[in-house]
Amino acid sequence: MVAGMIIDCHGHYTTAPRALLTWREAQIAALADQSKAREKGMIHISDEDIRASVEGAQLKLQRERGTDVTIFSPRAAGMAHHIGDATTSLHWSEHCNDLIHRVCSLYPGNFVGVCQLPQSPGVPPGNCIGELERCVTQLGFIGCNVNPDPSGGHWTSPPLTDRSWYPLYEKMVELDVPAMVHVSSSCNPSFHHTGAHYINADTTAFMQFLMSDLFKDFPTLRFVIPHGGGAVPYHWGRYRGLAQDLKRPPLDELIRDNIFFDTCVYHLAGIELLLKIVPADNILFGSEMVGAIRSIDPETRHYFDDTRRYIDQVTVVSESDKRKIFEGNARRVYPRLNRRIAATV
Amino acid sequence: MVAGMIIDCHGHYTTAPRALLTWREAQIAALADQSKAREKGMIHISDEDIRASVEGAQLKLQRERGTDVTIFSPRAAGMAHHIGDATTSLHWSEHCNDLIHRVCSLYPGNFVGVCQLPQSPGVPPGNCIGELERCVTQLGFIGCNVNPDPSGGHWTSPPLTDRSWYPLYEKMVELDVPAMVHVSSSCNPSFHHTGAHYINADTTAFMQFLMSDLFKDFPTLRFVIPHGGGAVPYHWGRYRGLAQDLKRPPLDELIRDNIFFDTCVYHLAGIELLLKIVPADNILFGSEMVGAIRSIDPETRHYFDDTRRYIDQVTVVSESDKRKIFEGNARRVYPRLNRRIAATV
């Protein structure tokens, strides 16, 4: 284990070359015309294009902020599992994941891959096993993103604790990879995606886990709930009370080996609450850069999403706990990370 | 203005006599049989029944906790606007509101009424104007609860900022009554009602308001977002950043005269964050008792929902700000309260 490394568990390829989006637009356009063959086709992106897309963005910010490795996945809002069907999602996911693999291959010390899954509303999650296995065993990915609402804001699927998820979870356990619970864009006008849908999904997933014995069935299954756990740490008393009233285990016990929160909370008071309330073993450093909020906070003159700064300022947790948050927990939750990082240092 | 009063802006009649629920069950059963006349009928509840329902519950807790007046509305989970149609909701709302009126008449120093509206999925909110007007002008109510998702977890209605809401808002402005944004029970298995749906709705409503010019059209329209504003204060940096990136007004300006949060956050660290981050002028004391969490926190040996204790312990705000939170803001947001309280002290 390398001392002093900072691992950002939450980065999306939001700056992917334009050609990726052009392909996606053509794919969506073809959905309207049944006569067009639904072929996966090719996307032509050069190594130079990839370098240009991250050199002035994620890599620059890593250097400026003093972070080392980003656990990197396709753009979350781009997944849009509600568009088309399972084949649509499969072709799109394969392209997105292949591109993540190329970024990670060009910068093996800076990025480690996490895959998008080819989910589709009404299709059993087990349908994603093939792509998960390909990404982990062939592309060296260390985890996946699981969308609890592939409908894009209509919440028509069963909860994450439903048995229909079990085949996928069995494969995750076998491969020893965790999932980040992450919805995509919203096609429901009630929900702004980054301002409501994302945060709601985090809160919703936590409550689904709280009510279920999922982790009795899968003691080593692990989920990262992003965006600081949605509303959960702020309402920790409410959830402790709900757990008690519903005869569920105490929260610390419920989450211990299975549920983790990232630190994508964009102000000091929020991070202070998170670090004060949630056990340090269950927090992973994350920034979601370049992501939901791209501007500079006029109050601090730093980027809103420079979450390392907030953690550095917090005094309520020990330095050794901060080391867990910055590095140790990521290595424990994503054990395949150790092979990737060890190989490059 | 009485010095030192504590007004709880968030209480529901969760302990209503069994006869109310029996009537509701019969109403729902009748929906399955089209031949049955859909009559409003009567509910027989004595004054003694009402006294028994609150003496050992809300009134006892008011005394124990040293709070004075509760702004009181029908049980939120009971509204269930997704059941039946507009007539179903109208009959049910009239009964529920009449019962609230009886509680307030029996205990005019302890309870002031807020009404449930007869919303129904797909029915324009203007349909609720009659019941709002009846409750305010005839029953002396001082506000209403507005459900942003009458579908009960499917979110099929337009956002709260849609023009279809404007006729109701015009009436609210004319009557000078605010609304608490409060969903009801969830019929979507993804969402636990008090553990996910309620909190999500609070977050969702805030983001809808953030994106809209609603308060330019209605400068005196006021909403209370309950449960401490959902996830919003914890993610205040995210929302400040979103407002900036989306070219919206700064949050303090956005909320100033129009958006208020209650203090239904059930642990000290959460309340500390709320009081530290949100302007004191925009926070109203609330406990939601007897509500979502009914048990005692083993860590503090006090009820989770005894939110006055947390506020009393917070040192980051002045005593004069706490007076606003406990009383002044409620009198400003619910101006009809002054006539009710003045009349009984």
Side-chain angles (χ1 to χ4, degrees), chain A residues 61-133:
Chain A
L61 293 172
Q62 281 185 351
R63 279 193 303 272
E64 287 176 6
R65 300 178 185 184
T67 64
D68 299 286
V69 182
T70 300
I71 297 177
F72 206 52
S73 60
R75 189 169 67 98
M79 299 189 297
H81 295 116
H82 57 277
I83 295 176
D85 59 17
T87 302
T88 315
S89 273
L90 180 61
H91 291 167
W92 174 229
S93 297
E94 286 173 350
H95 278 308
C96 289
N97 292 332
D98 287 346
L99 196 59
I100 292 292
H101 177 56
R102 290 183 61 195
V103 175
C104 297
S105 301
L106 283 171
Y107 301 97
N110 299 94
F111 298 104
V112 181
V114 151
C115 67
Q116 164 180 332
L117 295 176
Q119 295 177 244
S120 191
V123 179
N127 189 53
C128 301
I129 288 173
E131 180 62 1
L132 174 65
E133 197 152 32

Side-chain angles (χ1 to χ4, degrees), chain B residues 254-309:
Chain B
L254 170 84
I255 69 176
R256 186 169 298 134
D257 299 319
N258 307 102
I259 301 173
F260 304 85
F261 300 139
D262 77 10
T263 63
C264 295
V265 178
Y266 297 153
H267 64 147
L268 177 58
I271 290 283
E272 269 178 340
L273 173 85
L274 171 66
L275 269 57
K276 187 190 285 186
I277 290 299
V278 175
D281 286 335
N282 295 83
I283 302 173
L284 273 64
F285 173 69
S287 74
E288 208 186 351
M289 64 96 174
V290 179
I293 315 292
R294 306 201 177 185
S295 61
I296 287 173
D297 183 347
E299 293 184 8
T300 65
R301 305 198 181 181
H302 291 273
Y303 283 101
F304 279 105
D305 67 2
D306 185 357
T307 55
R308 181 188 167 176
R309 286 187 64 259

Side-chain angles (χ1 to χ4, degrees), chain A residues 154-155 157-159 188-192 194-196 198-200 203-204 207-208 211 227-228 230-231 233-242 244-246 264-267 269-270 272-274 276-277 288 292-299 304, chain B residues 154-155 157-159 188-192 194-196 198-200 203-204 207-208 211 227-228 230-231 233-242 244-246 264-267 269-270 272-274 276-277 288 292-299 304:
Chain A
H154 292 289
W155 293 90
S157 296
N188 186 327
S190 285
F191 304 129
H192 185 275
T194 55
Y198 284 21
I199 306 293
N200 292 349
T203 309
T204 299
M207 191 63 201
Q208 292 177 358
M211 288 192 297
H227 319 108
Y234 176 50
H235 284 287
W236 199 247
R238 187 178 189 89
Y239 290 99
R240 285 201 296 113
L242 279 167
Q244 182 168 295
D245 288 2
L246 296 170
C264 294
V265 177
Y266 296 155
H267 64 148
E272 269 177 342
L273 173 84
L274 171 66
K276 188 190 285 185
I277 290 299
E288 206 185 353
I293 315 293
R294 306 201 175 185
S295 61
I296 287 172
D297 183 347
E299 293 184 8
F304 279 106
Chain B
H154 293 289
W155 293 90
S157 296
N188 185 328
S190 286
F191 303 129
H192 185 275
T194 55
Y198 284 20
I199 306 292
N200 291 350
T203 309
T204 299
M207 191 63 201
Q208 292 177 358
M211 289 192 295
H227 320 106
Y234 175 51
H235 285 286
W236 199 246
R238 187 180 190 89
Y239 290 99
R240 285 201 297 110
L242 279 167
Q244 182 168 294
D245 289 1
L246 296 170
C264 295
V265 178
Y266 297 153
H267 64 147
E272 269 178 340
L273 173 85
L274 171 66
K276 187 190 285 186
I277 290 299
E288 208 186 351
I293 315 292
R294 306 201 177 185
S295 61
I296 287 173
D297 183 347
E299 293 184 8
F304 279 105

Side-chain angles (χ1 to χ4, degrees), chain B residues 24 77 79-85 89 119-121 147 149-154 184-188:
Chain B
R24 176 63 163 171
M79 299 189 297
H81 295 115
H82 58 278
I83 295 175
D85 60 17
S89 274
Q119 295 178 245
S120 191
N147 184 347
D149 172 30
S151 78
H154 293 289
S184 184
S185 52
S186 161
C187 59
N188 185 328

Side-chain angles (χ1 to χ4, degrees), chain A residues 174-189:
Chain A
E174 180 197 319
L175 295 170
D176 205 12
V177 295
M180 179 173 277
V181 178
H182 208 307
V183 286
S184 184
S185 53
S186 162
C187 59
N188 186 327

